[in-house]
Amino acid sequence: MSARWYRLCLAADVPPGALLGRTIGDSGEAHDRVCVASGADGEVVAMLDRCPHRDVALSGGVVHGSTVVCPGHFWRFDLASGERTDLPRHAVTLYPTRLVDGWIEALVPDPAPPVPMREWLLGQARDRTT
Ligand code: FES
C-alpha cells in the first residue's frame, strides 16, 4: 500500500491541548479526514479523524493530558500508542507525523480499493467458521 505526506497546518495552529480537523481529499469518505492533536506537553500527533467505535470525528473532542477524548461516548485514547486507555484492543489510526519548516505533515496511506459485497460477505463467513 502506498502513502503520501500531506501538509496539514502550521504548528502554531495547534497549541498544547488543542485538536484540529483537516480534510485532505474530496471523496467525502472518512479516510479524507485527519485530526491533529497536541498533547498537554506539546507533542503533536496526526490520526484518522474517526473514532474506532462509531463514525464520530475525534477533532470534536478534547485533549486531556496525553489522551484524546472522543465526543461520542468519551472513550479515551493514548496519543502515543493510539490505544483506548482502558481497552487497548480498540485504537485510533495514528499516522507518522513530522514538522517541516513550521508545518505539521502526516504520512497518510492511500485508501484500499473497494471490496465487492460478495467478496466481503464470503470473507465474513470464513472468519466466523475458523
Ligand atoms: S463514538 Fe467515540 S466513543 Fe463512541
Side-chain angles (χ1 to χ4, degrees):
M1 178 177 284
S2 59
R4 291 185 280 169
W5 286 98
Y6 288 90
R7 185 164 278 192
L8 301 172
C9 62
L10 287 165
D13 295 336
V14 196
L19 291 169
L20 187 67
R22 283 289 186 251
T23 303
I24 58 170
D26 58 4
S27 73
E29 301 290 332
H31 59 76
D32 283 345
R33 303 188 331 239
V34 179
C35 174
V36 182
S38 180
D41 63 358
E43 86 272 17
V44 176
V45 179
M47 65 192 81
L48 177 68
D49 196 5
R50 184 175 194 265
C51 180
H53 183 215
R54 299 278 189 266
D55 187 17
V56 170
L58 294 167
S59 57
V62 295
V63 171
H64 191 265
S66 61
T67 65
V68 60
V69 183
C70 176
H73 306 94
F74 312 112
W75 288 8
R76 288 174 178 237
F77 301 96
D78 181 79
L79 288 174
S81 68
E83 296 173 343
R84 182 175 158 179
T85 54
D86 61 340
L87 203 56
R89 67 184 170 93
H90 295 286
V92 298
T93 302
L94 297 180
Y95 299 134
T97 307
R98 68 185 183 187
L99 185 65
V100 178
D101 298 329
W103 289 87
I104 295 167
E105 297 181 347
L107 185 63
V108 181
D110 293 334
V115 176
M117 180 61 81
R118 178 177 166 72
E119 279 185 40
W120 184 84
L121 288 170
L122 287 171
Q124 294 293 308
R126 275 186 219 108
D127 289 348
R128 289 171 198 249
T129 56
T130 57

